[in-house]
Amino acid sequence: MTVNPPVDDRQLEHALLALDCDAWRALSSDRAADFFADVLTPHAIMVFPGTVLTKERALKEIDAAPPWAAFRIEDPHVVRFTERSAVITYRATAHREGQPEYVALMSSTYVENARAWKLALHQQTPIDTT
């Protein structure tokens, strides 16, 4: 997905939230690996509970994972580092069919590259809701 660099912080928050929502929608379908192959930078890192994945390994794991049945994003915040880099943080609640709900704090760090925002680092911290 190509998103022109936003002019102001509100546009930036809207653009990055839209990208992460698109990512969740892709993860809720059979097109997740294709989506992430396009949006991840070449040297992207994804930090999941218990592991750190390179782009290549993350794409394999994403492709093998069952789709999410539903997700919800709450309390998003964006911090701009430069005109071409920013992070979005939020609380995500999701579940897969027949599995318990997954609740985590998420952060996605994006860089603007060739007039599109690309994901350089994604990190998840699960929240114990029991």
Side-chain angles (χ1 to χ4, degrees), residues 21-50:
C21 284
D22 287 348
W24 277 100
R25 281 190 281 278
L27 290 165
S28 301
S29 73
D30 62 354
R31 60 181 184 85
D34 290 337
F35 175 87
F36 282 96
D38 180 54
V39 78
L40 290 172
T41 64
H43 302 290
I45 298 292
M46 299 190 87
V47 182
F48 295 107

Side-chain angles (χ1 to χ4, degrees), residues 72-76 89-93 103-106 127 129:
R72 182 175 68 248
I73 291 175
E74 299 174 289
D75 202 22
T89 64
Y90 55 89
R91 177 185 171 116
T93 303
V103 182
L105 300 176
M106 308 275 177
I127 298 171
T129 58

